[in-house]
Amino acid sequence: GNATEKQILEALKRYTCRQLYMQKSLYHLFSITQQLQESRTDVIKVILLAMRSHPKDLGVQMAATACLYNMSKGELGSKVHPRWLANILSLTMTAMEVFPHHQQLQKNALLTLCSDRILQEVTFDRFRCAKLVMECLCTFEDSSMNRMSVAICSILAAKIPTKQTSDLGSNARYMQKLLNIVKEKKEKQSGG
């Protein structure tokens, strides 16, 4: 059943071994998560369970990352305990690693990551995150994704040890992409 929130959550709890059920249930859950006013750990738990159960299923990961973005953004996200946000980030980064060339999934992940509270207050592997975001930046030509990636990396760069910052900076591909973005921005400013 997918008529009520209770049925959807029950399906997500009972049918973890059935990837298609998970995908469809998460799809229906997405519209519910768009309208939530209160933090719901019970909902986050079942989304994370689905992600853990089907880490290589694109449909499950797409729907789950979209739901998690809804659960962690804005005022609703400010009510989520940092421990749950850390779990959200961990599984979101795993999805980014498994599906590096899927633009919408990467965009879902960037939307989740692009939160001052998450980047400043939550404990997670910031170096892993910075590498994934830089890979995303280099893979896709999408201005909104570029803006989010640059914003995320600018915060993360100040939060990781100097050695790790140097490791990121030594990647010529990353540096070339950042230089190209700066060059394009400068050309727009001087041309307009």
Side-chain angles (χ1 to χ4, degrees), residues 157-176:
K159 300 237 170 242
I160 60 177
T162 306
K163 166 79 172 93
Q164 292 177 338
T165 306
S166 296
D167 289 348
L168 287 173
S170 67
N171 184 316
R173 202 167 122 247
Y174 296 170
M175 289 303 103
Q176 189 59 54

Side-chain angles (χ1 to χ4, degrees), residues 25-92:
S25 296
L26 288 166
Y27 174 80
H28 291 291
L29 184 62
F30 175 74
S31 58
I32 293 170
T33 62
Q34 288 180 304
Q35 298 162 22
L36 291 177
Q37 300 297 317
E38 291 298 320
S39 173
R40 296 273 307 274
T41 304
D42 62 324
V43 175
I44 293 171
K45 282 181 186 177
V46 296
I47 297 168
L48 296 176
L49 177 62
M51 290 180 84
R52 275 190 209 98
S53 299
H54 303 282
K56 295 185 180 193
D57 184 270
L58 178 61
V60 169
Q61 297 299 316
M62 278 284 295
T65 55
C67 288
L68 289 176
Y69 167 63
N70 285 339
M71 300 294 298
S72 63
K73 70 180 179 180
E75 186 152 333
L76 189 60
S78 70
K79 299 173 184 175
V80 177
H81 191 279
R83 184 184 61 145
W84 287 108
L85 290 172
N87 289 330
I88 288 170
L89 290 181
S90 177
L91 287 170
T92 297

Side-chain angles (χ1 to χ4, degrees), residues 67-181:
C67 288
L68 289 176
Y69 167 63
N70 285 339
M71 300 294 298
S72 63
K73 70 180 179 180
E75 186 152 333
L76 189 60
S78 70
K79 299 173 184 175
V80 177
H81 191 279
R83 184 184 61 145
W84 287 108
L85 290 172
N87 289 330
I88 288 170
L89 290 181
S90 177
L91 287 170
T92 297
M93 288 189 290
T94 298
M96 291 176 81
E97 289 168 341
V98 174
F99 300 102
H101 300 290
H102 195 281
Q103 188 168 0
Q104 187 58 53
L105 185 135
Q106 295 292 322
K107 193 176 235 181
N108 290 353
L110 291 176
L111 285 165
T112 299
L113 289 166
C114 207
S115 156
D116 283 339
R117 177 168 186 241
I118 286 174
L119 295 173
Q120 303 281 1
E121 297 176 23
V122 177
T123 302
F124 64 99
D125 186 343
R126 288 179 168 79
F127 180 65
R128 175 185 179 207
C129 184
K131 283 194 323 189
L132 288 167
V133 171
M134 286 304 299
E135 283 299 322
C136 191
L137 181 67
C138 292
T139 302
F140 302 103
E141 289 298 325
D142 179 295
S143 59
S144 66
M145 290 176 76
N146 285 355
R147 277 192 302 279
M148 287 187 286
S149 296
V150 169
I152 293 165
C153 284
S154 67
I155 291 171
L156 292 177
K159 300 237 170 242
I160 60 177
T162 306
K163 166 79 172 93
Q164 292 177 338
T165 306
S166 296
D167 289 348
L168 287 173
S170 67
N171 184 316
R173 202 167 122 247
Y174 296 170
M175 289 303 103
Q176 189 59 54
K177 180 65 176 185
L178 290 171
L179 289 171
N180 288 343
I181 289 171

